[in-house]
Amino acid sequence: MESNQSNVSALYVPSTITTEDGVEYPVKSIGLKAFAGNPNLVRIYFGEGIEELREQACFHCSKLESVSFPSTLRYMYNAFEGCSLITRLEFPANLEYLGRQWLYSVTGLTGTIDIPAKVTEIQPTALSSLNITAFNVAAGNPNYKSVDGCLLSKDGTQLCLVPSSSEWLSDYTTPEGVTSIWSSAFHLNQSLITLTLREGVTSALDSIGSCTQLIQLNLPSTLTNNPFNSYANLWSLSAITVSENNQTFAAVDGVLFTKDLTTLIKYPPKKEAAYTVPSTTKVLGIGAFCLGRVQSLTLNEGLLSIQNEALRSVINASTSTLNVLRIPNTVNFIGDNGLFEAFWSGFAVDSTHPYYSTDGSVLYNKDKTAALVYTCDTSAPKDQEVTLPATVEVLGYGFSYNNNPLVKLDLSQTKITTMPQYGWCSSGNDGVERTLLLPNTLTRINYNSIRVATAKSLTIPASVAVIEGGAIGLDNAEEIVFADPGQMRSDGVKVFNLTTYNSIFWVISPRCVVKGYKGTGGVLSPAEQIALQYTLRFEALD
């Protein structure tokens, strides 16, 4: 089911559709992104008879404040992801199922989350609101219960979710009998200072997310998997302890390793030391230094692998920018976002390195067919320009993310076909004009791949066929140009290369003019349709 009612503030969603010939069909499920990106929707009412709300049904409806559920609703997924103004979700008594990430990115929720008695299955979710004070499970629920505001399985063996804001949680030890902890159970908690996983807890995979006040973490001998979410903001964490009897993990000076010391799992950000990775280390694990703070970091010769997000968003707490990062000759693998949001003052790679090369600011693979990541001193003047060579065929995920000195990224000589997520994300509105030049080999622009807040103009090459929803953010742009002229069919109607382009903007300046070629035969061109959808002025190219 799709909605074209983008100008309404209140929307009633019926449970039947009547065709032109008067035949009624029931609507029991609201599909994926059915109302996604509606810029004006404030209230939505789902009609009696609707039983299911699928993933992102109201994705990024930025003005949506109020949701009314029907009594017939039985299944709900992450239907309201990105709806930041919703403060409460009042689930109907007949609800049976809460799908994965059902509370994710609903940042405005406050107070208690009430779980009806008939909810027999709840999937893990990350909390995104700082103001959830408790979970309350209705009496008679056969599978879940609430204890001190926390959500647990009925038999008490699973700790499911901990509220994000409860003062009594400052010093928390998991309840007796808990053996497993859900993914993201402790995500975004603002109260925890000391967390102790009691003996008997065997599994807590990805359970600890952004607990910004957490200072001390104590792990039991029974734990067998990594409790840290890869993008956990733990800036107060200064020490991790592990029971000496644990056969999986060990702590050395507060740093978490595997028992054999070959994998560095988590460096506590609050240590803020000049740190040299130990010579025994072969792997920097997923999120090992993510959002960490060190004075300097030296990678050891003998290191083989830098896993995803291992060195993401690492800074020097005093100066923001870190030392030049030397990639040891032994490193043979760097994850797709292992160096995402890089704030190093530069890269150093030996000319004899078998897998990687650099020009100082860009890290490439050996033959420069892939440009992996860009970095530079963040205190440098905002006049850095990068032109990638013609050898480049692949741009790395998060190639340049929040590296503000970069003002011009020229990809026009490359053979890149896909603009990856966070290809260039510069959301700071500092008034410095930035320029992005795309190659004529480009065919696809992925979700959230271009966010250049201060760009005045962007040209989309004629080769582009797919622009995903929320792919482009141009906060202050004066024009966006679609260079595809289209080809005339025998019936006098133009066919354009761009065929997928619904809700392409993450953000767009209302002053932006859309320039492109006009359609024919009464059919609007993609450029015209995009201008119409966002109520932007359209200017035809000759």
Side-chain angles (χ1 to χ4, degrees):
M1 180 176 183
E2 295 186 358
S3 170
N4 58 7
Q5 303 180 61
S6 60
N7 294 319
V8 299
S9 61
L11 182 63
Y12 172 75
V13 185
S15 59
T16 59
I17 292 178
T18 303
T19 63
E20 292 182 357
D21 54 4
V23 179
E24 286 192 352
Y25 292 94
V27 175
K28 293 189 176 183
S29 178
I30 305 301
L32 174 68
K33 295 189 176 181
F35 305 101
N38 188 313
N40 299 300
L41 187 61
V42 176
R43 299 175 181 83
I44 190 165
Y45 307 86
F46 294 100
E48 288 294 319
I50 292 173
E51 298 181 359
E52 181 179 61
L53 298 178
R54 295 296 305 185
E55 295 88 347
Q56 298 181 331
C58 296
F59 176 68
H60 200 60
C61 291
S62 58
K63 293 184 180 179
L64 184 61
E65 298 176 359
S66 175
V67 179
S68 178
F69 297 116
S71 65
T72 52
L73 186 67
R74 299 171 60 198
Y75 311 101
M76 195 192 85
Y77 297 76
N78 57 324
F80 303 101
E81 183 178 333
C83 299
S84 60
L85 298 185
I86 295 175
T87 58
R88 185 157 180 80
L89 294 172
E90 296 186 10
F91 300 127
N94 289 320
L95 189 68
E96 300 174 14
Y97 176 85
L98 289 167
R100 188 166 181 81
Q101 298 292 16
W102 53 285
L103 289 178
Y104 176 67
S105 198
V106 193
T107 57
L109 289 175
T110 61
T112 299
I113 303 295
D114 293 313
I115 309 295
K118 290 185 178 180
V119 174
T120 56
E121 184 174 353
I122 302 175
Q123 293 292 314
T125 181
L127 303 185
S128 298
S129 168
L130 299 175
N131 299 304
I132 295 174
T133 56
F135 293 92
N136 178 46
V137 181
N141 189 298
N143 293 344
Y144 301 96
K145 65 181 179 181
S146 47
V147 177
D148 296 330
C150 299
L151 178 68
L152 284 86
S153 62
K154 194 73 170 183
D155 62 5
T157 61
Q158 297 181 57
L159 176 60
C160 305
L161 286 168
V162 175
S164 55
S165 179
S166 291
E167 292 182 3
W168 63 268
L169 278 171
S170 62
D171 187 351
Y172 184 71
T173 299
T174 55
E176 190 80 47
V178 170
T179 59
S180 65
I181 302 174
W182 277 12
S183 169
S184 299
F186 295 101
H187 184 68
L188 213 65
N189 187 281
Q190 302 299 293
S191 305
L192 281 168
I193 295 174
T194 302
L195 173 61
T196 301
L197 306 190
R198 191 189 295 268
E199 287 294 325
V201 173
T202 60
S203 177
L205 186 66
D206 292 337
S207 63
I208 301 173
S210 296
C211 300
T212 56
Q213 304 305 310
L214 184 64
I215 296 173
Q216 177 75 43
L217 174 65
N218 305 311
L219 302 178
S221 66
T222 48
L223 189 68
T224 61
N225 52 27
N226 181 3
F228 292 103
N229 179 278
S230 62
Y231 189 59
N233 194 341
L234 298 162
W235 61 55
S236 299
L237 185 63
S238 58
I240 303 167
T241 68
V242 182
S243 170
E244 290 183 2
N245 296 323
N246 191 296
Q247 298 303 301
T248 306
F249 303 111
V252 178
D253 192 26
V255 181
L256 185 64
F257 291 85
T258 52
K259 190 71 172 181
D260 61 6
L261 304 184
T262 60
T263 299
L264 192 158
I265 296 173
K266 192 65 182 178
Y267 180 91
K270 190 63 175 177
K271 287 179 69 66
E272 299 184 24
Y275 190 72
T276 298
V277 176
S279 60
T280 57
T281 305
K282 303 297 182 186
V283 177
L284 296 186
I286 294 173
F289 287 88
C290 184
L291 292 166
R293 294 180 291 181
V294 293
Q295 293 174 12
S296 65
L297 181 63
T298 303
L299 303 183
N300 61 302
E301 201 67 38
L303 185 69
L304 300 176
S305 176
I306 299 172
Q307 297 291 308
N308 284 0
E309 299 187 293
L311 296 175
R312 176 178 180 177
S313 307
V314 186
I315 64 168
N316 183 316
S318 301
T319 63
S320 296
T321 300
L322 278 157
N323 54 296
V324 172
L325 182 69
R326 180 182 176 274
I327 308 297
N329 280 5
T330 49
V331 171
N332 58 36
F333 174 81
I334 299 176
D336 286 343
N337 54 354
L339 286 162
F340 184 87
E341 198 168 10
F343 296 138
W344 311 92
S345 54
F347 294 115
V349 179
D350 290 352
S351 60
T352 57
H353 201 297
Y355 301 106
Y356 299 101
S357 61
T358 187
D359 61 9
S361 63
V362 177
L363 182 65
Y364 298 92
N365 64 351
K366 183 65 175 179
D367 59 5
K368 291 192 175 181
T369 57
L372 304 178
V373 65
Y374 165 79
T375 192
C376 75
D377 187 340
T378 55
S379 64
K382 293 187 174 76
D383 59 1
Q384 309 296 310
E385 298 185 3
V386 171
T387 298
L388 294 186
T391 54
V392 173
E393 300 173 359
V394 175
L395 193 69
Y397 174 100
F399 175 78
S400 179
Y401 188 87
N402 285 345
N403 211 317
N404 289 330
L406 182 63
V407 298
K408 183 177 181 180
L409 177 58
D410 187 349
L411 308 177
S412 62
Q413 299 176 32
T414 71
K415 303 180 184 68
I416 293 167
T417 59
T418 299
M419 195 71 182
Q421 191 171 4
Y422 305 119
W424 188 11
C425 182
S426 177
S427 57
N429 201 347
D430 56 10
V432 178
E433 184 175 350
R434 290 176 171 83
T435 302
L436 173 63
L437 301 178
L438 299 173
N440 59 16
T441 54
L442 194 68
T443 61
R444 185 181 186 92
I445 302 176
N446 284 349
Y447 163 74
N448 216 3
S449 63
I450 299 171
R451 177 73 188 277
V452 189
T454 58
K456 293 296 178 66
S457 177
L458 179 67
T459 295
I460 307 299
S463 54
V464 173
V466 174
I467 304 178
E468 291 187 351
I472 300 171
L474 298 171
D475 304 57
N476 294 284
E478 297 173 0
E479 67 173 21
I480 181 168
V481 180
F482 292 87
D484 185 2
Q487 295 184 356
M488 197 79 72
R489 291 192 319 215
S490 58
D491 61 1
V493 175
K494 274 187 177 180
V495 177
F496 293 85
N497 288 329
L498 184 57
T499 57
T500 303
Y501 49 89
N502 186 45
S503 302
I504 68 169
F505 294 119
W506 183 256
V507 62
I508 186 65
S509 166
R511 302 183 303 277
C512 185
V513 176
V514 177
K515 296 182 179 181
Y517 293 88
K518 297 188 69 172
T520 56
V523 179
L524 297 180
S525 70
E528 289 175 294
Q529 292 184 54
I530 290 166
L532 183 64
Q533 180 183 11
Y534 287 92
T535 322
L536 300 173
R537 185 159 62 91
F538 175 78
E539 288 185 4
L541 298 174
D542 294 334

